[in-house]
Amino acid sequence: MFRATVIRNTTRNTTRNIRAYSTDSTNLLKTPLYDLHVELKATMVPFAGYSMPVLYKGQSHIESHKWTRTNAGLFDVSHMLQHKLSGPGATEFLQTLCPTDFTKLAPYQSTLSVLLNKDGGVVDDTMITKHGDESYYIVTNAGCRANDIKFIKESLGEFKDGEHDIQHNTFEGSLLAIQGPKAQEVVSKFTNDNLGSLYFGNSRYIGLEGFGSSEKFHIARGGYTGEDGFEISIPDDKVALDFTKALLEQELVKPIGLAARDSLRLEAGMCLYGHELNEQITPIEASLNWLVSKSRRTPEAATFNGASKILSQLADPKSVAFKRVGIKSKGPSPREQNKIFDINEPTKQIGTVCSGSPSPSVGDNVGQAFINKPYNKTGTKILVEIRGKLREAEVAKMPFVQPSYYRG
């Protein structure tokens, strides 16, 4: 499993817990935009083996969060690992690792999925874009980089006893996420492509005008905030830097760091690997049933790792002892690993907090937790142990902020 440390960052009246997967904070990797972050006077912290911006000078965490919800926030997510998988049998192979039916995707459609181990646990969550019948663009988490590469390599060796021509390559480069209701307005200034015809969950290649390159760059509509937005892969470091600077010259755009990225994804009810997902948790326990395509829920179609366990959990929901749910509270915010107790029997532990944060949009604290049945029903009152005291909270429906995806 992952190894992790917690780094505390205090900004104004807000203390944020930032999950860092680095095992060596003295030898951190840098994204192609590292020097620009330093120039912008960002507070840099170890995260997933990289030195990453958590906050920028002149912006509080709350200001950064609210700016993204109302304008356009620019995130450097170049630490994420980008892959290309192609060749005869690529789809069949992917369907041994993931519960998704990739045959149902049209070219240039994207979907969230999970890589599964033999027991149905989540090796990593991933965004997968189908470029063709046997061609895929994949983005996985930086903190799982070494393990994902090893996992895919070993799985390719096992697939058809290694007798295939599937090619798997990873590549480095800048990956930018422009998120918020003004994202299309801003990005459209730098391309002749009609982004209004690019809908959520779809991608294409576009040119970027004014940066001295005729290359086309992969742009996907989506993101990790619940807002409208794009993720753009730019392998050319000079174009990436110049494009980033040009975006930041727009008055609607501000650079946003990890602190707001975490609270934004929490409000959107999204998982963070190592918190809500790990190799001991199945997609069903993580309340991600929808990741198991309906067309793959028969014994014949369920060729993915851990299928027997996952299908049995789907067939008999009562067999699932706990589930990922949302929680809301007031006062001090719940944090990872805080214990949860039965409000009517305060010595009885019924769950554990996965993530928690004050919510700049909602006003209260929001979080995610694994809670045993039957205490995980929406509206159930619970107690969370915070700083040695039991504080009242309530199981709540997610997402806490309704998504604003662009669907045309």
Side-chain angles (χ1 to χ4, degrees):
M1 269 185 60
F2 59 90
R3 231 184 299 179
T5 57
V6 175
I7 293 174
R8 298 186 72 80
N9 176 60
T10 304
T11 61
R12 289 194 179 181
N13 296 321
T14 304
T15 300
R16 300 289 305 123
N17 283 336
I18 301 300
R19 186 79 169 187
Y21 294 89
S22 171
T23 57
D24 182 3
S25 62
T26 62
N27 190 29
L28 296 172
L29 298 172
K30 299 176 180 178
T31 74
L33 300 175
Y34 172 85
D35 289 340
L36 179 60
H37 298 313
V38 173
E39 182 181 326
L40 294 170
K41 297 186 175 1
T43 299
M44 307 299 288
V45 300
F47 184 84
Y50 280 78
S51 181
M52 296 293 292
V54 68
L55 202 67
Y56 292 86
K57 186 176 181 180
Q59 297 172 231
S60 71
H61 163 221
I62 293 175
E63 288 168 343
S64 298
H65 180 110
K66 289 186 173 181
W67 184 270
T68 306
R69 288 272 183 246
T70 55
N71 293 287
L74 177 60
F75 301 79
D76 178 9
V77 292
S78 309
H79 60 306
M80 306 288 277
L81 184 60
Q82 301 178 73
H83 313 241
K84 288 186 178 179
L85 185 82
S86 62
T91 299
E92 184 182 353
F93 169 68
L94 262 187
Q95 296 201 160
T96 67
L97 306 186
C98 307
T100 306
D101 189 348
F102 296 105
T103 67
K104 302 294 185 182
L105 293 184
Y108 291 91
Q109 275 192 322
S110 305
T111 185
L112 176 68
S113 192
V114 284
L115 303 176
L116 298 170
N117 62 28
K118 301 293 186 182
D119 297 319
V122 178
V123 175
D124 201 2
D125 55 314
T126 174
M127 285 298 301
I128 299 179
T129 302
K130 185 176 184 177
H131 282 174
D133 286 341
E134 302 287 5
S135 179
Y136 296 87
Y137 167 66
I138 302 168
V139 179
T140 56
N141 286 301
C144 302
R145 174 183 292 253
N147 191 48
D148 286 348
I149 292 174
K150 179 174 180 287
F151 174 74
I152 294 172
K153 181 179 179 180
E154 290 178 351
S155 299
L156 279 169
E158 295 172 1
F159 182 66
K160 295 186 176 180
D161 295 322
E163 297 297 321
H164 56 75
D165 294 316
I166 300 171
Q167 300 296 314
H168 171 241
N169 299 291
T170 62
F171 64 97
E172 307 294 339
S174 293
L175 186 62
L176 301 176
I178 301 95
Q179 299 284 291
K182 304 297 184 182
Q184 178 175 313
E185 177 182 341
V186 169
V187 178
S188 292
K189 295 179 180 180
F190 302 99
T191 182
N192 292 325
D193 197 280
N194 175 20
L195 296 180
S197 63
L198 181 63
Y199 305 135
F200 173 75
N202 290 270
S203 68
R204 64 176 62 146
Y205 283 89
I206 65 167
L208 294 175
E209 304 300 320
F211 303 103
S213 174
S214 59
E215 188 176 352
K216 300 282 187 178
F217 302 103
H218 189 267
I219 183 171
R221 195 147 199 165
Y224 193 51
T225 63
E227 293 295 330
D228 183 26
F230 305 93
E231 292 190 351
I232 308 176
S233 175
I234 308 178
D236 186 314
D237 288 352
K238 184 179 185 305
V239 173
L241 178 60
D242 291 346
F243 178 52
T244 300
K245 288 181 175 179
L247 286 172
L248 293 175
E249 288 174 357
Q250 307 300 306
E251 64 178 25
L252 293 174
V253 182
K254 286 186 178 181
I256 309 295
L258 292 172
R261 183 170 165 83
D262 190 46
S263 56
L264 288 160
R265 70 94 189 170
L266 262 176
E267 289 184 347
M270 296 179 175
C271 297
L272 174 61
Y273 194 85
H275 287 238
E276 289 77 32
L277 300 173
N278 61 52
E279 293 210 42
Q280 283 70 53
I281 300 296
T282 70
I284 312 309
E285 292 161 342
S287 298
L288 296 174
N289 299 33
W290 64 274
L291 292 184
V292 186
S293 299
K294 291 185 178 180
S295 56
R296 304 203 66 200
R297 296 186 181 187
T298 65
E300 297 75 26
T303 57
F304 50 86
N305 290 340
S308 176
K309 181 176 183 178
I310 290 171
L311 290 186
S312 69
Q313 289 181 332
L314 284 169
D316 182 15
K318 292 182 180 179
S319 68
V320 183
F322 63 90
K323 298 276 277 188
R324 176 179 68 98
V325 295
I327 57 174
K328 291 177 70 173
S329 70
K330 299 182 183 296
S333 174
R335 299 296 186 186
E336 180 194 13
Q337 295 303 313
N338 285 162
K339 296 177 181 179
I340 299 173
F341 296 88
D342 181 356
I343 197 166
N344 296 313
E345 194 176 340
T347 59
K348 181 180 180 180
Q349 185 177 353
I350 57 171
T352 305
V353 175
C354 304
S355 300
S357 169
S359 169
S361 303
V362 175
D364 297 328
N365 303 314
V366 299
Q368 298 182 43
F370 289 121
I371 300 181
N372 297 340
K373 292 181 177 180
Y375 307 97
N376 52 19
K377 295 179 181 178
T378 299
T380 301
K381 303 291 185 183
I382 55 176
L383 295 173
V384 182
E385 186 177 58
I386 304 172
R387 302 174 191 170
K389 294 183 179 181
L390 294 178
R391 301 178 184 274
E392 189 170 318
E394 182 178 309
V395 178
K397 185 178 179 181
M398 293 189 290
F400 302 102
V401 173
Q402 289 303 309
S404 301
Y405 303 133
Y406 177 74
R407 301 184 188 276

